[in-house]
mmCIF file of all heavy atoms in Angstrom:
data_model
loop_
_atom_site.group_PDB
_atom_site.id
_atom_site.type_symbol
_atom_site.label_atom_id
_atom_site.label_comp_id
_atom_site.label_asym_id
_atom_site.label_seq_id
_atom_site.Cartn_x
_atom_site.Cartn_y
_atom_site.Cartn_z
ATOM 1 N N VAL B 32 8.331 -14.751 9.947
ATOM 2 C CA VAL B 32 7.118 -14.073 10.293
ATOM 3 C C VAL B 32 5.980 -14.445 9.376
ATOM 4 O O VAL B 32 4.844 -14.669 9.775
ATOM 5 C CB VAL B 32 7.357 -12.511 10.271
ATOM 6 C CG1 VAL B 32 6.045 -11.752 10.352
ATOM 7 C CG2 VAL B 32 8.277 -12.087 11.419
ATOM 8 N N PHE B 110 3.408 12.120 -10.802
ATOM 9 C CA PHE B 110 3.889 12.358 -9.425
ATOM 10 C C PHE B 110 2.808 12.225 -8.417
ATOM 11 O O PHE B 110 2.882 11.512 -7.374
ATOM 12 C CB PHE B 110 4.492 13.735 -9.365
ATOM 13 C CG PHE B 110 5.161 14.058 -8.064
ATOM 14 C CD1 PHE B 110 6.494 13.622 -7.870
ATOM 15 C CD2 PHE B 110 4.540 14.804 -7.093
ATOM 16 C CE1 PHE B 110 7.155 13.951 -6.665
ATOM 17 C CE2 PHE B 110 5.220 15.116 -5.917
ATOM 18 C CZ PHE B 110 6.519 14.677 -5.686
ATOM 19 N N LEU B 116 -0.789 6.484 -4.482
ATOM 20 C CA LEU B 116 -0.632 5.027 -4.435
ATOM 21 C C LEU B 116 -0.335 4.556 -3.026
ATOM 22 O O LEU B 116 -0.762 3.539 -2.574
ATOM 23 C CB LEU B 116 0.495 4.669 -5.388
ATOM 24 C CG LEU B 116 0.686 3.252 -5.851
ATOM 25 C CD1 LEU B 116 -0.599 2.835 -6.654
ATOM 26 C CD2 LEU B 116 1.867 3.164 -6.766
ATOM 27 N N ASP B 161 2.863 1.620 -17.009
ATOM 28 C CA ASP B 161 4.053 0.808 -17.074
ATOM 29 C C ASP B 161 3.979 -0.200 -18.231
ATOM 30 O O ASP B 161 4.931 -0.413 -18.980
ATOM 31 C CB ASP B 161 4.315 0.078 -15.785
ATOM 32 C CG ASP B 161 4.777 0.992 -14.640
ATOM 33 O OD1 ASP B 161 5.081 2.161 -15.004
ATOM 34 O OD2 ASP B 161 4.887 0.554 -13.529
ATOM 35 N N ALA B 192 -1.878 -5.152 -27.221
ATOM 36 C CA ALA B 192 -0.537 -5.765 -26.924
ATOM 37 C C ALA B 192 -0.326 -5.780 -25.374
ATOM 38 O O ALA B 192 0.282 -6.644 -24.813
ATOM 39 C CB ALA B 192 0.541 -5.030 -27.558
ATOM 40 N N LEU B 215 -13.819 1.495 4.826
ATOM 41 C CA LEU B 215 -15.187 1.071 4.846
ATOM 42 C C LEU B 215 -15.901 1.379 6.164
ATOM 43 O O LEU B 215 -17.096 1.452 6.254
ATOM 44 C CB LEU B 215 -15.241 -0.497 4.607
ATOM 45 C CG LEU B 215 -14.766 -0.898 3.221
ATOM 46 C CD1 LEU B 215 -14.826 -2.395 3.106
ATOM 47 C CD2 LEU B 215 -15.690 -0.258 2.185
ATOM 48 N N ALA B 219 -19.317 2.320 4.292
ATOM 49 C CA ALA B 219 -20.341 1.245 4.161
ATOM 50 C C ALA B 219 -20.856 0.795 5.578
ATOM 51 O O ALA B 219 -21.875 0.185 5.690
ATOM 52 C CB ALA B 219 -19.739 0.086 3.430
ATOM 53 N N ILE B 225 -28.526 -10.306 5.568
ATOM 54 C CA ILE B 225 -28.143 -10.624 4.187
ATOM 55 C C ILE B 225 -28.901 -9.637 3.312
ATOM 56 O O ILE B 225 -30.143 -9.648 3.317
ATOM 57 C CB ILE B 225 -28.422 -12.044 3.844
ATOM 58 C CG1 ILE B 225 -27.613 -12.977 4.740
ATOM 59 C CG2 ILE B 225 -28.147 -12.356 2.410
ATOM 60 C CD1 ILE B 225 -27.917 -14.472 4.625
ATOM 61 N N VAL B 239 -16.400 -6.971 9.265
ATOM 62 C CA VAL B 239 -16.963 -7.986 10.161
ATOM 63 C C VAL B 239 -15.775 -8.610 10.935
ATOM 64 O O VAL B 239 -15.897 -8.890 12.169
ATOM 65 C CB VAL B 239 -17.757 -9.052 9.366
ATOM 66 C CG1 VAL B 239 -18.047 -10.266 10.219
ATOM 67 C CG2 VAL B 239 -19.030 -8.398 8.867
ATOM 68 N N PHE B 243 -15.707 -8.657 14.948
ATOM 69 C CA PHE B 243 -15.721 -9.907 15.649
ATOM 70 C C PHE B 243 -14.456 -10.240 16.411
ATOM 71 O O PHE B 243 -14.469 -10.760 17.526
ATOM 72 C CB PHE B 243 -16.038 -11.069 14.670
ATOM 73 C CG PHE B 243 -17.510 -11.151 14.296
ATOM 74 C CD1 PHE B 243 -18.389 -10.096 14.552
ATOM 75 C CD2 PHE B 243 -17.991 -12.301 13.694
ATOM 76 C CE1 PHE B 243 -19.702 -10.160 14.184
ATOM 77 C CE2 PHE B 243 -19.351 -12.444 13.358
ATOM 78 C CZ PHE B 243 -20.181 -11.336 13.614
ATOM 79 N N GLY B 258 -12.925 -15.925 8.527
ATOM 80 C CA GLY B 258 -12.971 -14.888 7.584
ATOM 81 C C GLY B 258 -11.539 -14.401 7.165
ATOM 82 O O GLY B 258 -11.259 -14.214 5.986
#
Side-chain angles (χ1 to χ4, degrees):
Chain B
V32 168
F110 187 81
L116 201 60
D161 286 351
L215 295 177
I225 297 172
V239 168
F243 280 17

